[in-house]
Amino acid sequence: MENSLLKWINTFDVASEIGSLVQLGDGVVLYRILHQIAPDSFEIGSVIEDVSDNLILKTKNVKKLLKAIETYYQTVLIRDCREVSNIDAASVASGNSESITSVLQLVLGCAVQCDGKEKYIQKMLSLDVDAKNDL
């Protein structure tokens, strides 16, 4: 599943190719992707871009990201998003693959349920068979 999610993430216009889930732990790339999916709900500048290895700043970004995802699910998609409360922001920020995968699944949910979902579903359909089956 991890490789399939990375392939999907790399279909978005991100600064450079993402080769591992750890690169997503600061929340910056995921927030940029969500901004592409729903710009009105995920405003650029809401997270700190340059966090380096500062775990406190990464965790702060991830908390903002999770809160924005929860708000999007509740107010735009009109869906409950209990999964957010099960994700530990510090675990995501420290690079835990399982926690990052949980966030990615929520991002994927945003993409396939948003107003422009056809565009994002097409991106998924352009992936190889194994990746499509995983997603």
Side-chain angles (χ1 to χ4, degrees):
M1 180 71 154
E2 180 178 320
N3 286 334
S4 300
L5 286 167
L6 287 172
K7 287 177 183 177
W8 176 68
I9 285 295
N10 284 306
T11 66
F12 287 89
D13 183 21
V14 292
S16 60
E17 185 167 330
I18 304 300
S20 74
L21 293 180
V22 174
Q23 292 174 268
L24 303 172
D26 63 7
V28 175
V29 170
L30 293 177
Y31 212 92
R32 286 181 190 157
I33 288 169
L34 285 164
H35 177 73
Q36 291 175 41
I37 292 169
D40 292 338
S41 298
F42 300 93
E43 295 179 20
I44 292 294
S46 295
V47 294
I48 302 163
E49 295 277 331
D50 184 19
V51 295
S52 300
D53 290 329
N54 187 322
L55 190 58
I56 294 170
L57 293 178
K58 288 180 182 182
T59 302
K60 189 174 182 179
N61 275 356
V62 174
K63 285 180 180 179
K64 286 181 183 178
L65 173 72
L66 292 173
K67 182 62 180 162
I69 290 171
E70 182 178 40
T71 300
Y72 183 75
Y73 268 83
Q74 291 173 343
T75 60
V76 177
L77 301 178
I78 316 298
R79 296 187 182 273
D80 186 37
C81 192
R82 289 186 209 126
E83 296 87 351
V84 167
S85 63
N86 296 328
I87 299 172
D88 178 36
S91 180
V92 173
S94 59
N96 179 281
S97 295
E98 186 176 317
S99 297
I100 296 171
T101 297
S102 296
V103 177
L104 280 170
Q105 290 172 332
L106 292 173
V107 173
L108 181 64
C110 291
V112 300
Q113 297 177 76
C114 73
D115 287 340
K117 62 186 167 206
E118 296 81 12
K119 175 181 176 181
Y120 303 109
I121 292 171
Q122 273 305 118
K123 286 182 179 194
M124 289 191 312
L125 292 175
S126 72
L127 299 173
D128 63 67
V129 174
D130 290 335
K132 283 190 276 195
N133 289 336
D134 282 347
L135 298 175

